[in-house]
Amino acid sequence: MKIGKLAATLRVTVGGAALIALMALSTPVLAVTPADTLVEGFAIDDIISMDPAEAFELSTAEVTANTYNLLVRIDLNDTSKVKGDLAESWTVSDDGLTYTFKLKPGLKFASGNPITAADVAYSFERAVKLNKSPAFIIQQLGISGDNVADKAKAVDDTTFQFVVDKSYAPSFVLNCLSATVGSVVDSKLVKEHVAAVTPSDDYKYDNDFGNAWLKTGFAGSGPYKLREWRANEVVVMERNDDYFGEKAKLARVIYRHMKESAAQRLALEAGDIDVARNLEPNDLDAVAKNADLKTTSAPKGTVYYISLNQKNPNLAKPEVRQAFKYLVDYDALGATILKGIGEIHQTFLPDGVLGELPENPFKLDVAKAKELLAKAGLPDGFNVTMDVRSSQPVTGMAESIQQTLGQAGIKLEIIPGDGKQTLTKYRARNHDIYIGQWGQDYFDPNSNAQTFASNPDNSDTPKISTLAWRNAWDIPELTKKTEAALLERNPDKRAQMYQELQKAVLDASPFVIIHQQLEVAGLRGNLKDFKLGPSFDTNFVDTISKE
């Protein structure tokens, strides 16, 4: 009997009545999760902060999407469109610069405080002034700490006005506002937790806009409330019974940090969890054959890649960058480690996005790579390190790449770490090679083009920190072309511009893009309406119930 094990796991996170009922069950064949609780096994060690102005990780995006509201959200019935969330309606001025949003009436935060346009304005102000990783999504529209009070302001309690610097395609602006950085926080509650800060050259404001508190706190209005996050252990969300929309079906959702696929499968089979989120191919096959379980999948706008820091003089050689693209065994990865969970995809725009280039020109070719290394003056190879999050599939991918690099004389040392460790090092440009995943911030080709093909400022203190910047790839001409594509209103011309950008990145960049993620999950058979969305911030859990 496995009740004791489950009870110990949930002792802090499950309410007393539910736990007592659970423990009162008489000698079941399997442990069961509470009827009003969804328990997911999920690798959540990438979470660094729960502040939506700072959080920029895939796991956090899912939590934020279920606990905060936005002005607008992607319409899952047609991802080329957005629909109102807090906004009831909006208009765009004739010159394309001013967006005016009318809020739905009677909205409230989980705290009970009313949601007003002033809360929306404060949310934008703090995101821009804090200038954390996701801030560029708003800043790229001409919004800065100096002008945000004028560009993003409340006209009255129910009217919010947003002014951009150029006449962008409206779909681009609205897609930016659908990103998690646009989450609206309870300004009254946050201001009660503001900490004083001494201004400096890097940060000129005298307060932290509640950032220290919101790292683990909550000030949202979504269908669920964040109750608790314990790093590398658990995230607990509880139903927001004051939510203005349709109430969540289940009382709580628990994400248990579980990194190993086999452990997730065993826990799913035992009934200790309801959902397994990180199944590898063999475990996915086993779940599919179990009559008590079921599987689901959805293509994600997420690509896996390795990147070469151009601060490393060996990796900065063009021939070395090219050689790495011939030292990945794409076919073997697709047939083993990535089977059922990813499709080989070597361009930066995922399938289904405007301008996506369906070309995979690279194959494992050690002889070709050796020729390139010789041209670079490195015929005997060199030593280099790779920072790797200790989870699958990246660990298996890194080990495969280590083996194929070795065939060309490149000796790769794998440096394992959790998601926070590897990301923090990567964001500081202190890596040699990084292997990871990149998900779209919003449903527009600029989301990936800007990060892979643009680097407006290659200094160590830029306003915008793209992936090109993280790898010190200084590309003024490509940056200009990325900006031009953003302003092109003709869809066909714009698509062609993005295809040209992808060809340039394929040929010359420090990025080796390997595959596009196919997200999969194993489920208990009694779950109803569990769906995976096209992005992690569209994995909604409020409609899920148990039969």
Side-chain angles (χ1 to χ4, degrees), residues 308 310 312-327 362 365-379 381-382 405 408 410 473 506-512:
L308 317 176
Q310 300 301 280
N312 182 309
N314 287 335
L315 300 178
K317 298 177 183 293
E319 298 89 352
V320 173
R321 296 199 298 260
Q322 194 78 1
F324 266 78
K325 300 174 195 286
Y326 290 103
L327 288 173
F362 299 109
D365 190 336
V366 177
K368 175 72 171 177
K370 285 183 174 180
E371 289 179 9
L372 289 164
L373 291 174
K375 288 181 181 179
L378 296 166
F382 55 93
L405 289 176
I410 298 175
W473 192 35
L506 266 175
D507 292 338
S509 79
F511 300 108
V512 183

Side-chain angles (χ1 to χ4, degrees), residues 2 7 32 84 181 194 297 309 350 379 409 425 445 469 511:
K2 301 176 181 176
V32 292
V181 69
V194 165
S297 65
N309 192 343
K425 185 176 180 181
W469 175 87
F511 300 108

Side-chain angles (χ1 to χ4, degrees), residues 8 30 63 76 100 168 284 307 316 344 399 405 413 421-422 447 461 487 510 528 530:
L30 297 173
V63 176
L76 292 182
T100 303
Y168 303 104
L284 184 63
S307 59
I344 298 305
E399 291 169 349
L405 289 176
E413 176 190 355
Q421 292 168 333
T422 56
S447 178
T461 56
L487 295 173
K528 184 179 179 181
F530 181 96

Side-chain angles (χ1 to χ4, degrees), residues 135-311:
F136 78 91
I137 298 172
I138 305 301
Q139 293 167 342
Q140 68 182 330
L141 300 171
I143 311 299
S144 67
D146 293 332
N147 68 22
V148 64
D150 294 324
K151 300 291 187 180
K153 64 183 180 181
V155 177
D156 55 43
D157 283 350
T158 61
T159 308
F160 172 71
Q161 190 176 83
F162 188 65
V163 181
V164 298
D165 61 335
K166 298 176 184 177
S167 182
Y168 303 104
S171 59
F172 165 65
V173 176
L174 294 170
N175 281 329
C176 288
L177 299 186
S178 74
T180 55
V181 69
S183 299
V184 176
V185 303
D186 185 337
S187 63
K188 183 177 180 180
L189 181 59
V190 172
K191 288 176 182 178
E192 293 174 0
H193 297 87
V194 165
V197 174
T198 301
S200 65
D201 292 339
D202 296 330
Y203 187 81
K204 62 183 179 181
Y205 308 105
D206 63 1
N207 74 90
D208 75 340
F209 295 94
N211 173 246
W213 175 71
L214 268 182
K215 285 179 183 292
T216 56
F218 171 67
S221 57
Y224 281 97
K225 302 181 289 186
L226 176 66
R227 169 176 165 176
E228 183 178 14
W229 162 51
R230 296 200 303 274
N232 294 355
E233 189 174 347
V234 70
V235 171
V236 184
M237 303 189 304
E238 289 186 339
R239 182 170 55 216
N240 176 13
D241 289 325
D242 294 322
Y243 180 56
F244 52 82
E246 186 174 347
K247 304 299 185 289
K249 299 291 193 300
L250 297 174
R252 64 189 60 81
V253 175
I254 299 171
Y255 295 100
R256 285 176 52 187
H257 176 52
M258 303 178 72
K259 295 178 69 171
E260 300 299 329
S261 171
Q264 288 191 17
R265 175 177 63 81
L266 291 172
L268 184 67
E269 291 172 343
D272 288 340
I273 61 175
D274 300 301
V275 184
R277 293 287 299 277
N278 303 100
L279 294 177
E280 297 171 29
N282 289 341
D283 293 308
L284 184 63
D285 288 344
V287 168
K289 295 174 183 176
N290 190 321
D292 295 325
L293 308 175
K294 53 188 176 182
T295 64
T296 188
S297 65
K300 279 287 187 287
T302 303
V303 293
Y304 280 76
Y305 67 98
I306 62 173
S307 59
L308 317 176
N309 192 343
Q310 300 301 280
K311 288 189 173 185

Side-chain angles (χ1 to χ4, degrees), residues 46-61:
D46 60 332
I47 299 177
I48 294 173
S49 170
M50 287 295 181
D51 184 347
E54 180 178 24
F56 208 38
E57 294 71 47
L58 298 179
S59 300
T60 330

Side-chain angles (χ1 to χ4, degrees), residues 259 306 324 333 337 382-406 410-418 421-422 425 431-436:
K259 295 178 69 171
I306 62 173
F324 266 78
L333 287 172
I337 296 169
F382 55 93
N383 296 336
V384 72
T385 64
M386 176 188 286
D387 290 285
V388 181
R389 180 184 178 189
S390 299
S391 65
Q392 295 293 358
V394 291
T395 295
M397 292 168 63
E399 291 169 349
S400 171
I401 293 167
Q402 182 184 49
Q403 190 272 331
T404 50
L405 289 176
I410 298 175
K411 301 175 182 64
L412 177 69
E413 176 190 355
I414 293 175
I415 302 177
D418 66 22
Q421 292 168 333
T422 56
K425 185 176 180 181
H431 64 294
D432 280 341
I433 303 175
Y434 175 83
I435 183 168

Side-chain angles (χ1 to χ4, degrees), residues 311 429 455-462 468-474:
K311 288 189 173 185
R429 305 207 287 190
N455 183 5
D457 180 0
N458 198 42
S459 71
D460 286 334
T461 56
W469 175 87
R470 289 185 193 176
N471 292 281
W473 192 35
D474 197 6

